[in-house]
Amino acid sequence: MMIVNILDKLIFACAFIISLQLPQLSDHYQQHLAGLYHATKWQVDGYADTAKQYKFSSTQAMINRHLENTEPSVRADAEQKQQTLMLFADLNQGMKLFEQGNLVQKLLYIFSPDRFERLQNTLDNFKLGIPLTTSALLFALILAIILNQLVMLPYTLYVAHRKRNAANAR
């Protein structure tokens, strides 16, 4: 029983330390996202200026026209521009979420498999730290309690089952 109590406390401590890092990771990710957003916006604005300069009704109209071009390099360039526009739309969505969303929504966005490379880039520069906001500390505490309960659930159920069997045997 003593070993289980020590294990329980160890699991809680690890879960709490990991949970404390999530708000920090969210802040780092937002900074990375903002940098990527601004760089991509600069490109997209350049596409819009070019489309306007050459009298296209929109950037997409210019890209569509270039996709129909017989020159392979022009089509390839148009495909790259189209991918950049799709990336910009995703980054725009992410920026709105990070401005208005709560921490759980942000974490779901961060840990999306589609964005693994972006997360990896953020983790490359991530430094462990302790958040200084009350909401981040409360989030970490609640998440640690939930994780601890989930990890210890099999043992709790086992003990309850043994007690029930011992009571029925009497």
Side-chain angles (χ1 to χ4, degrees):
M1 188 69 166
M2 185 172 107
I3 292 174
V4 172
N5 287 338
I6 291 172
L7 182 64
D8 182 47
K9 288 174 179 49
L10 184 63
I11 290 170
F12 175 78
C14 290
F16 187 64
I17 290 169
I18 291 168
S19 298
L20 278 172
Q21 300 313 304
L22 294 176
Q24 298 288 99
L25 177 63
S26 175
D27 289 344
H28 279 73
Y29 190 92
Q30 184 175 9
Q31 291 173 4
H32 178 76
L33 188 70
L36 187 57
Y37 171 83
H38 289 295
T40 307
K41 184 176 183 336
W42 180 80
Q43 277 187 303
V44 169
D45 288 347
Y47 301 162
D49 291 345
T50 302
K52 185 177 179 180
Q53 178 184 354
Y54 290 99
K55 310 283 190 261
F56 286 99
S57 61
S58 68
T59 304
Q60 190 59 52
M62 177 182 73
I63 291 171
N64 291 341
R65 177 84 176 273
H66 291 175
L67 286 170
E68 296 169 358
N69 196 297
T70 57
E71 183 64 39
S73 64
V74 173
R75 285 195 313 272
D77 183 59
E79 289 170 3
Q80 288 175 345
K81 283 179 171 64
Q82 205 162 35
Q83 289 172 353
T84 302
L85 289 178
M86 291 187 314
L87 171 64
F88 184 68
D90 181 56
L91 293 172
N92 199 23
Q93 174 192 10
M95 290 299 291
K96 286 179 184 172
L97 180 107
F98 274 88
E99 289 171 7
Q100 302 165 356
N102 61 44
L103 185 56
V104 173
Q105 292 170 319
K106 293 174 186 178
L107 292 173
L108 290 173
Y109 181 88
I110 290 170
F111 289 105
S112 168
D114 298 342
R115 298 176 186 91
F116 181 76
E117 186 177 337
R118 218 176 289 156
L119 173 60
Q120 188 64 47
N121 291 338
T122 303
L123 289 173
D124 288 344
N125 298 309
F126 182 70
K127 302 278 189 267
L128 297 177
I130 298 174
L132 300 177
T133 63
T134 305
S135 62
L137 291 171
L138 284 174
F139 171 82
L141 180 63
I142 291 168
L143 185 60
I145 290 169
I146 291 170
L147 290 174
N148 185 49
Q149 293 300 314
L150 286 173
V151 171
M152 293 304 292
L153 185 62
Y155 177 75
T156 305
L157 293 175
Y158 171 74
V159 169
H161 179 70
R162 271 190 35 199
K163 284 183 181 179
R164 217 175 308 119
N165 285 346
N168 289 340
R170 291 183 191 167

